Amino acid sequence: MLDLVNRLFRLERGEWPRLIQFGLFGFLLQMGMGVGFSAGDAAFLSNVGADRLPLVFMLTPAVMLLYTVLFSYLLVRFSIDRMVDLTLAALVAGGVAFWALIDAGLPPQWQVPLYFAVKLYLAMWYIALYSLFWNYTDAYFAIQDAKRLFPLFAAFCALGTACGAMLVSVLAERVAVQDFFLLWAAIALATAPLAVLLRRRWSQIAESDSDLDEETGDALSQLAAVGRAFGRSRYTMVFTLVLFVTLLMTNLAEYQYSMVLQEGRDEAALASLFGTLYAAANLFNLVTCLFVFNRLVARLGVRNVAFIQPLTYFAVFGWFFLQGGTGAALAAFFAYHGVLTSIEYNNQNLLFNAVPSQVKRPLRTVMEGMAEPLASLVSGGFLIYAASQVDMRELSGIGIIVGATLIAVVVALRQLYPSAMTANMRKGWMNFGDRSVLAPQFEPEAKALLAKAAAGEGEEAQIAARLLDADTARSPLPPDGSDIDALLARLAQDDPTQRIGVTEAIDRLATPEDVHIVPALARCLPRLHRDERRRMIRLLGRIGDSETIPDILEAAAELAPRARRAIATMLTGLGETAIPRLLGGLRDRALPYRSRAIAARALAQNSYAQFAANLDRLVIGELDEASRLNHAASLLDVHGRTHRSIALLARAQRERAEAAIDFVLELLAVGGLLPNFDLLIVSLHSANPKVRGNAVEAIESSIDRQYLCRLGPLLHGETQIPQAAARDLDQILGQALGGGQPLEMILAADVLHARLDGGTFIQKLQDVILSGIPEAVRCHVLGIMQIDGAVQPHALDLLAALADHPEVGGATLEALGAAAQGATFERPESRALAAMAGGTPFWIAYRDLGEVAARFPELALVLLKSQDDRQYAA
């Protein structure tokens, strides 16, 4: 039963306590608002009249200006928790004060100012409590959780308003209006213990990774940052304009329905009517928030849901223009207190995630606290003029024109939303591309030591010279410099001293006819220094033989990201002749995703039409493959304790599924369907829920539904296994053995060798042992079968040890496998990573780890995290 309810409301296990507690907080806040609004509106209309509403609209900005300045200052001066306490105290004091003033029977000349004060008090708290609750709640939830849970919180709020309004409707004939303000104060007092419980029970989430370790600054600097955000963020400006125009139309709607509904009703009748209408509207809001809004967002996306309110107001004012009457007034009331509350305000909570994150809370307070009152000022001034110049029908025509304007502004907001989300993801992530961080800064003593080392000879002298930006002396050509094949043999040496001057010689001797050197040259690229590698990549481009592209792509997988981009640029320069080979590399699933991404970028540059023609099939195929891998990994987890390699195989397949998702995102970014790919990936793998949530939201708001229905479950980690997918373990192992992925093939062979007898194992290998079998797989099979005198390899023991190592275990198995190749069973003289494999100690020099980390950024970040207690974006 609980699982059915969870699916109905899109809840995860264990979320009910948090949902109930935050929901009850919103319920109590809005219950007080329901009581105060129903009673206060009735008191104002019966004692002052709807024709004086424009004056309220014009006075509201002055009240909100004072409130916004005070609240914004206190919000950056103190915590949001402290602001909740201050607000509840103000509600208690205000409720008691108005109860006493109304009950005191003031002289007639003070009655009108008192009820004006009541209406302004209600207008202030209508904006302030809404802003406070969502500012407070937003601090505890990332956007992906918010899209599921915020509508439920809004449902609690709607239920609270409905209950408060219903109380007024039922008790209006027997309870004086002023007593309802005392009830509001009592409800606010009862909310205080719950606010204390929330802050003790739950932890807030930082807006970005930089927020985790940096102070937010003083109040003045934060307010200055708010001002800069308005000047630099077009999204913030357009979003503020949306709020302004929406509230402009809201005030016009309130004026028109108030003028119609006040006719022929006294204070008690108005209190009963408004109580009934508020209750009905909020029951509508309850149903919408529980069952409609989150499905609307899932189906249409945040950007498209923003059109619902403008279109609703456009229709309402059209009704007023064509017919008018009580029906149009009720429609306007529900557009304001129904659709605006249950759909537009909920959607605005999600749209606020795209404003600059570092000042989101004070910025939101300023936007809501000033855009809405300014709209009241404009609409109030206009209505004072219009009261004597235009009739209700002409006013409705103006509402239609403003509604069309609002639709146009929302179109602009829709276009800016993805780029604003991308800009937010950029906040707080480590900018490895900043040139200023590439240049090392040395202490004087360190610089002197490097200068001394650079004056010597050998590899250490060259490294020291590079660090100091010194000119490295060119070594003379090797004695055998005239023989390009001999030079290639020397280039393949692991000893850097044997390669000095070789790349210069090859570059000078090679011609476009020397196509035969490309495969060997490509295999040498990973071991070369950066300058040597850059020179050889240029040489590959000068030779320019498109038939060698498969060799280049295969070798490029072992290069660092910067070198892979250089390879892509070089392949692009080959022109249209490279298209068939690039297309083949893009489709080849035996190649690593890094190599296929290079082919994708080069192909898109040379022939976007060819790339686009294959995009749909590639994306859908890779997403289906990622889903299959996740299902297989989940099934392998069930058997993970029976054999070490089964657990590693499950991890390898899950990591390959993640790599497939990254590859799909890169394809979509190359195709122009997603913003900055590198930024998306960094943010998507962040440990901060808000940073990751922003990345997911940017993806979901940008791609087509045909992709989203497959990609969405993968991004959210939904790996439920259909009954039809429940294959047995041997089938999964057999598929991994023949899948062409070296690591998975090795792990599958290891498990099958332990599970099967010799004859059956050989039979399983018959379809795999081909001429093109990866070298690592061939060596492993020979080792476990003890053929040709081979001994049992240590590769899997080393990999398993590194996978569980606290310092590097968070990296991918592919990166750890590359690092294991540098393992030694004798302690090196330099600093090294120590571990145990099958009871045998081994070491990997940090220098070797650094070389591997240059090719695998995830290992670099894991090493960085292990040496620094700060949190980062990946």
Side-chain angles (χ1 to χ4, degrees), residues 497-526:
T497 60
Q498 297 297 316
R499 302 198 304 266
I500 296 176
V502 172
T503 55
E504 291 91 332
I506 294 176
D507 189 30
R508 192 161 56 246
L509 293 175
T511 67
E513 285 72 31
D514 291 316
V515 178
H516 70 283
I517 71 171
V518 171
L521 197 60
R523 287 193 297 270
C524 292
L525 289 177

Side-chain angles (χ1 to χ4, degrees), residues 48 53 222 242 359 398 454 538 557 647:
V48 180
L53 271 176
Q222 283 282 291
V242 169
V359 289
I398 294 172
R538 285 200 302 265

Side-chain angles (χ1 to χ4, degrees), residues 15-30 80-81 84 132-141 149-150 152-158 191 194-205:
E15 281 190 327
W16 279 100
R18 188 164 60 158
L19 172 67
I20 295 297
Q21 291 172 26
F22 279 94
L24 186 58
F25 179 64
F27 174 87
L28 291 175
L29 283 179
Q30 291 304 121
I80 187 68
D81 296 326
V84 171
L132 176 78
F133 176 75
W134 292 112
N135 261 320
Y136 183 68
T137 307
D138 181 71
Y140 292 86
F141 297 91
L149 298 179
F150 278 17
L152 302 181
F153 295 150
F156 275 97
C157 293
T191 310
L194 180 59
V196 175
L197 174 65
L198 289 177
R199 76 185 61 147
R200 291 180 178 176
R201 176 67 178 83
W202 308 104
S203 299
Q204 296 185 15
I205 304 174

Side-chain angles (χ1 to χ4, degrees), residues 670-687:
V670 171
L673 300 178
L674 285 178
N676 188 299
F677 164 72
D678 295 316
L679 181 58
L680 269 180
I681 293 303
V682 170
S683 302
L684 194 61
H685 292 281
S686 172

Side-chain angles (χ1 to χ4, degrees), residues 379-562:
S379 59
F382 171 75
L383 288 171
I384 289 176
Y385 163 79
S388 60
Q389 301 294 326
V390 299
D391 59 20
M392 293 288 285
R393 189 169 185 271
E394 291 173 331
L395 194 61
S396 301
I398 294 172
I400 292 174
I401 296 173
V402 177
T405 303
L406 180 58
I407 293 172
V409 176
V410 172
V411 170
L413 183 76
R414 184 185 185 277
Q415 297 303 114
L416 293 171
Y417 180 72
S419 59
M421 292 295 295
T422 302
N424 257 1
M425 287 186 291
R426 191 174 288 113
K427 305 296 182 183
W429 71 296
M430 292 185 298
N431 187 7
F432 290 115
D434 187 351
R435 292 186 180 274
S436 63
V437 303
L438 298 177
Q441 302 295 322
F442 299 111
E443 297 291 336
E445 297 82 0
K447 192 169 184 178
L449 290 173
L450 285 172
K452 181 178 179 181
E457 297 181 355
E459 183 186 4
E460 291 185 358
Q462 292 186 39
I463 295 173
R466 289 192 185 99
L467 288 173
L468 293 170
D469 287 329
D471 293 329
T472 52
R474 300 274 183 199
S475 298
L477 278 177
D480 50 2
S482 59
D483 186 348
I484 195 168
D485 292 322
L487 289 172
L488 279 174
R490 294 191 61 178
L491 193 65
Q493 297 292 322
D494 290 329
D495 186 358
T497 60
Q498 297 297 316
R499 302 198 304 266
I500 296 176
V502 172
T503 55
E504 291 91 332
I506 294 176
D507 189 30
R508 192 161 56 246
L509 293 175
T511 67
E513 285 72 31
D514 291 316
V515 178
H516 70 283
I517 71 171
V518 171
L521 197 60
R523 287 193 297 270
C524 292
L525 289 177
R527 61 171 57 90
L528 301 180
H529 289 302
R530 185 175 62 184
D531 294 338
E532 296 172 331
R533 187 183 301 116
R534 186 184 300 117
R535 185 186 295 274
M536 292 299 95
I537 290 174
R538 285 200 302 265
L539 174 59
L540 292 174
R542 196 166 74 241
I543 293 175
D545 183 20
S546 60
E547 295 302 312
T548 61
I549 288 177
D551 297 306
I552 297 173
L553 290 177
E554 184 175 357
E558 299 183 39
L559 300 178
R562 184 189 295 269

Side-chain angles (χ1 to χ4, degrees), residues 78-159:
F78 303 107
S79 67
I80 187 68
D81 296 326
R82 203 58 66 203
M83 289 307 303
V84 171
D85 295 339
L86 291 173
T87 298
L88 293 175
L91 286 172
V92 173
V96 172
F98 278 110
W99 166 76
L101 288 171
I102 296 174
D103 194 54
L106 297 176
Q109 63 269 26
W110 291 101
Q111 291 291 326
V112 171
L114 174 61
Y115 288 108
F116 264 107
V118 168
K119 186 62 178 174
L120 291 171
Y121 180 79
L122 294 174
M124 181 188 73
W125 285 123
Y126 179 79
I127 300 171
L129 286 183
Y130 174 86
S131 181
L132 176 78
F133 176 75
W134 292 112
N135 261 320
Y136 183 68
T137 307
D138 181 71
Y140 292 86
F141 297 91
I143 188 172
Q144 294 305 309
D145 289 334
K147 288 168 71 173
R148 294 183 300 104
L149 298 179
F150 278 17
L152 302 181
F153 295 150
F156 275 97
C157 293
L159 182 60

